[in-house]
Structures are given as C-alpha cells and as structure tokens.
C-alpha cells in the first residue's frame, strides 16, 4: 500500500514539498494566509493575491507541547494545530502573514485567542444554522469583513473581477477533483481508497492550480486507460466502504489501512478532507459575494443544526457509489460529530438499509490492533 505510483506520490508529498515552495513565494513578496477549515472562502483570499494554505494539523507529534496550555481531553486536531504553531515545527504557520479561523466549535474559537498572541488572526463568526435569511446575512457580512481585512492588511483592492476570476479557477479545480474521486463509482474502482486519500489531501498544497488541474486529468486518464487494458488494483469482491465524520490526516491512515487490508475498499470520503466541500460549486452567474456566501454556508458540517445537508449528501453518495457499509470516524472530544453519529446511524441503517459502524480515535497508533479487529469483523459481516 505504501508503494504508490509516481503521480500519486507527487500528490502525497505535496505538503512536504510545499515547504520550499511557500518559502520561495514569500521571498518573491507573496503574502500567505493560513486557514483551518473548509468554511474559509478560498476565493476571497486568492483574489487578494495571497496564497491560502491549510494549517489544520493531523499529527500527534506536537500534542504534548500543546497540552501544557490546552486541556488533555480536547480534540486532537485542535491540540495538534496549536502545538505546531507554538513549536515552530510547521513552516506554513511560520510563513503566514495572517491566519483566518472560523467558529465551527468552541474548542477552536478559544484556541484562536491564544494564536492571536502569536500571529495576526482574523476570526469569522459562523452561524450555527444555515436556515433562514438571518444566518445568510450574518455569513455574508463575515465574508465582506474578511475581504475588507485582507484589503487593509495587504494594501490591495479585491474587485468583483478578481473574485470572479478566483471563483472560476477554484470551480475548475473542484471539477477536476470531482472527476478524479468519481473513479470510485466504478466496480471495482481503478484506484485504492489509500490512493484517493493521498490525492484529495495533497491537492490543497499545490499552488499552481493550472498544473494541478492538468495532473488530475492526466491521473484520471491513466487510471481509466489501465483499467480498460484489464489492470485491476482492487478485487471485484472487495466490500465498498464510505468514510464519513471528522477530517482525516496521516495519523488516521490507520483506518484506511484496516479497511483495505481486511477485504474492503474505500470508494468515497464524505468529510471535509474528502469531497464535502468539493461537491458543490460557487454559482458563477450570481454576484460573487452572494454566491460565495451561499456556497460555503451550505457545507454539511456537524456544527450546523439541523444538518440536513450532510444527510442529503450521504444519501446521494451511498446510492451513486453502490456502498456496502458506512464507517463514521470521530475524533475524541469532537462533540458535534459524536452526538450526530446517532442520527447518521439511524439514517444509514433504517433509510438506506446498509450496515454502519462508528470509530472514536485520536492521532496515536495505540489502537491499531483494536481497529483492525473491529473493522475486520465489520467487513466480514458485510
């Protein structure tokens, strides 16, 4: 599983290789804006001329340092993100001129207060619901506030034309990513879930979007060509698994491995490190601020109440990808996803009539044996 084809390795290594790229961009005078969440509007940052980069950390390496300031029973994603910030082990944080956070959970919004002592932090106040005109107006105003903050900090003007240009580019990237992850609809798929994860997680660290779009299309063409030639990476008997829940990172590859080493294949990732944000485009026919507000507000995250958009997307994906079972990956102390798991289980079991299991884990590798046992039993049951 670790021996990825060269083109997959390119995406897999993009986060690490991007360290040099981001330094070169800084040396050339480009501004860098760190982000933590898919709710942060990429198009607005890009239209300012800055490079948006993800700071959302998914490793247990700096957690012990973070726990000197943050509670031990806090979500590992928050502790990891803060730990990388205070230890200067993350070049992306180091080179960021500004950081944009959003109030998706209480732990993150309190952590941003500490980050604000180190860096220039702008926090977007996300509504707790995407229902109604009041929520839309609040979020639209937050996007305008971000636009004005970027203009002031970087001494630029974010025009309607620049926003439209960024919208079109990002939509083209989303479509290329969509074409790639839809390879998972094929039976059996021409790529493994591990390969799909590597590309989806690495794409955000490729700053030349035109080159990335070309690489994605080349990758899709290659996969389809080899498939037509009769090459099969995945057994036709492999059980088709959809992963939902919290963002996944290198530390949670243990879940993918457990699935794909025990007779399953991950055909779809319905989470914010997967296809949740990519699945919907920004409307290019509307006023750009309105269109961006509408698109991002409708991301189906568990921080929203009610969260009908997650159910609707799950329903569509389960049917389109011919899913045999759903695995819900929940990070320890992520209360919104943990509470919502009951609703997801009921929907998957009763309405879609397929098996469901949830896994609560963190970024350590101490539960690998237990995960293998539980997931092997789940897949055997399928």
């Amino acid at each position: 599983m670790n021996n990825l084809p060269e083109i997959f390795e390119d995406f897999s290594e993009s986060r690490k290789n991007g360290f040099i790229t981001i330094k070169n961009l800084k040396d050339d005078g480009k501004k860098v804006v760190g982000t933590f969440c898919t709710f942060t509007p990429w198009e607005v940052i890009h239209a300012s001329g800055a490079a948006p980069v993800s700071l959302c950390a998914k490793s247990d390496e700096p957690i012990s340092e973070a726990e000197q300031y943050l509670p031990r029973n806090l979500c590992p994603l928050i502790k990891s993100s803060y730990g990388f910030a205070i230890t200067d082990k993350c070049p992306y944080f180091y080179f960021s001129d500004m950081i944009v956070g959003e109030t998706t959970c209480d732990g993150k919004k309190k952590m941003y207060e500490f980050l604000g002592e180190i860096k220039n932090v702008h926090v977007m106040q996300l509504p707790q619901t995407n229902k109604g005109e009041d929520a839309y107006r609040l979020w639209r105003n937050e996007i305008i506030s971000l636009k004005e903050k970027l203009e002031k900090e970087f001494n630029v003007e974010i025009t309607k034309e620049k926003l439209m240009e960024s919208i079109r580019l990002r939509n083209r990237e989303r479509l290329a990513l969509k074409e790639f992850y839809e390879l998972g609809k094929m039976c059996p798929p021409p790529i493994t879930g591990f390969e799909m994860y590597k590309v989806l997680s690495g794409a955000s660290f490729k700053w030349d979007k035109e080159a990335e779009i070309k690489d994605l299309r080349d990758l899709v063409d290659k996969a389809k060509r080899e498939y037509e030639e009769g090459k099969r990476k995945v057994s036709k008997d492999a059980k088709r698994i959809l992963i939902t829940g919290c963002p996944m990172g290198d530390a949670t590859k243990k879940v993918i491995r457990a699935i794909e080493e025990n007779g399953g294949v991950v055909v779809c990732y319905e989470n914010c490190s997967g296809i949740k944000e990519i699945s919907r485009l920004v409307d290019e026919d509307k006023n750009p601020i309105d269109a961006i507000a509408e698109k991002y507000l409708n991301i189906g995250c568990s921080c929203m109440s009610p969260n009908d958009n997650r159910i609707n997307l799950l329903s569509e994906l389960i049917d389109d990808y011919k899913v045999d079972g759903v695995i819900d990956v929940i990070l320890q102390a992520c209360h919104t996803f943990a509470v919502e798991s009951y609703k997801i289980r009921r929907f998957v079991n009763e309405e879609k009539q397929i098996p469901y299991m949830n896994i609560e884990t963190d970024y350590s590798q101490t539960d690998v044996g237990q995960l293998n046992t539980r997931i092997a039993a789940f897949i055997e049951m399928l």
Side-chain angles (χ1 to χ4, degrees):
M1 187 180 291
N2 289 323
N3 298 319
L4 295 178
E6 184 177 348
I7 191 164
F8 286 100
E9 283 289 6
D10 178 57
F11 276 90
S12 176
E13 295 297 309
S14 61
R15 186 179 192 276
K16 185 169 67 177
N17 296 338
F19 295 161
I20 298 170
T21 306
I22 208 75
K23 180 184 182 301
N24 292 337
L25 289 173
K26 285 286 292 183
D27 289 344
D28 291 339
K30 195 172 185 71
K31 301 298 184 182
V32 176
V33 176
T35 68
F36 285 99
C37 184
T38 52
F39 278 104
T40 306
W42 184 95
E43 293 84 353
V44 179
I45 297 170
H46 182 264
S48 76
V53 60
S54 174
L55 303 178
C56 198
K58 299 156 191 170
S59 163
D60 64 349
E61 180 187 351
I63 284 180
S64 59
E65 286 93 340
E67 286 177 344
Q68 296 177 37
Y69 309 94
L70 301 176
R72 291 178 61 85
N73 62 345
L74 188 63
C75 160
L77 186 151
I78 300 172
K79 291 190 292 186
S80 180
S81 298
Y82 186 67
F84 274 117
I86 60 174
T87 58
D88 264 346
K89 291 180 179 178
C90 174
Y92 295 126
F93 184 89
Y94 178 82
F95 286 119
S96 291
D97 298 283
M98 176 177 156
I99 290 170
V100 179
E102 50 357 90
T103 54
T104 49
C105 79
D106 292 341
K108 284 171 77 175
K109 73 183 183 185
K110 298 306 291 185
M111 184 267 285
Y112 295 147
E113 294 180 18
F114 295 141
L115 277 187
E117 298 172 3
I118 309 171
K119 284 280 189 178
N120 178 11
V121 176
H122 176 83
V123 179
M124 302 183 73
Q125 302 295 328
L126 184 71
Q128 296 182 358
T129 181
N130 52 27
K131 306 293 184 185
E133 187 62 29
D134 288 345
Y136 171 78
R137 275 201 304 269
L138 189 156
W139 187 236
R140 185 182 186 278
N141 288 338
E142 287 298 302
I143 289 174
I144 292 171
S145 294
L146 173 63
K147 171 182 172 290
E148 292 172 348
K149 172 84 171 186
L150 290 163
E151 289 176 325
K152 180 181 178 182
E153 291 294 325
F154 301 153
N155 194 27
V156 296
E157 182 185 1
I158 301 175
T159 64
K160 180 179 179 180
E161 290 71 24
K162 288 179 181 176
L163 282 172
M164 287 304 304
E165 183 181 331
S166 295
I167 287 170
R168 287 190 289 266
L169 176 61
R170 179 69 169 140
N171 275 350
R172 287 176 54 228
E173 182 195 15
R174 288 187 183 103
L175 288 171
L177 285 164
K178 190 169 186 282
E179 187 178 355
F180 166 73
Y181 70 66
E182 284 184 346
L183 290 171
K185 290 183 178 181
M186 299 167 69
C187 297
I191 57 173
T192 67
F194 189 77
E195 289 171 335
M196 183 187 296
Y197 158 78
K198 283 296 187 183
V199 171
L200 292 176
S201 63
S204 61
F205 296 99
K206 286 182 169 287
W207 287 280
D208 185 340
K209 293 303 178 185
E210 295 293 353
E212 178 203 347
I213 291 166
K214 181 183 183 303
D215 287 346
L216 284 166
R217 295 212 164 114
D218 288 346
L219 198 157
V220 170
D221 290 343
K222 182 176 186 292
K224 288 182 176 179
R225 183 170 63 250
E226 291 181 350
Y227 196 83
E228 289 170 0
E229 291 169 356
K231 294 181 182 179
R232 296 290 184 271
K233 294 182 180 180
V234 179
S235 167
K236 62 180 177 59
D237 298 320
K239 297 303 179 183
R240 301 170 64 83
I241 303 298
L242 179 148
I243 288 181
T244 185
C246 292
M248 296 188 72
D250 282 355
T252 43
K253 287 187 297 191
K254 58 189 176 183
V255 177
I256 307 170
R257 286 197 174 95
I259 292 169
E260 301 203 328
E261 291 173 0
N262 287 287
V265 58
V266 182
V267 295
C268 185
Y269 296 90
E270 187 283 321
N271 51 25
C272 41
S273 51
I275 72 175
K276 190 188 294 286
E277 192 279 329
I278 307 166
S279 62
R280 181 180 178 131
L281 303 182
V282 177
D283 192 332
E284 297 179 14
D285 295 324
K286 289 186 176 180
N287 173 280
I289 293 293
D290 294 341
I292 291 169
E294 182 181 276
K295 181 262 185 295
Y296 282 90
L297 187 60
N298 281 288
I299 293 173
C301 178
S302 65
C303 66
M304 291 291 173
S305 295
N307 189 16
D308 297 336
N309 287 343
R310 183 183 180 196
I311 294 289
N312 294 337
L313 180 59
L314 270 173
S315 181
E316 180 184 322
L317 295 175
I318 288 170
D319 293 342
D320 289 351
Y321 287 79
K322 302 178 178 65
V323 170
D324 295 311
V326 171
I327 294 181
D328 200 349
V329 180
I330 301 165
L331 294 175
Q332 289 176 359
C334 184
H335 301 310
T336 55
F337 273 106
V339 172
E340 196 165 90
S341 66
Y342 171 71
K343 183 177 182 180
I344 300 301
R345 176 191 295 276
R346 193 171 57 186
F347 168 74
V348 171
N349 286 164
E350 296 177 8
E351 293 195 35
K352 306 310 285 187
Q353 297 187 332
I354 60 173
Y356 164 98
M357 75 176 294
N358 66 40
I359 292 169
E360 185 175 341
T361 188
D362 60 11
Y363 291 162
S364 74
Q365 300 301 303
T366 57
D367 60 349
V368 168
Q370 181 191 59
L371 284 176
N372 268 295
T373 301
R374 288 190 61 205
I375 289 173
F378 179 73
I379 292 173
E380 185 177 347
M381 178 263 296
L382 298 178

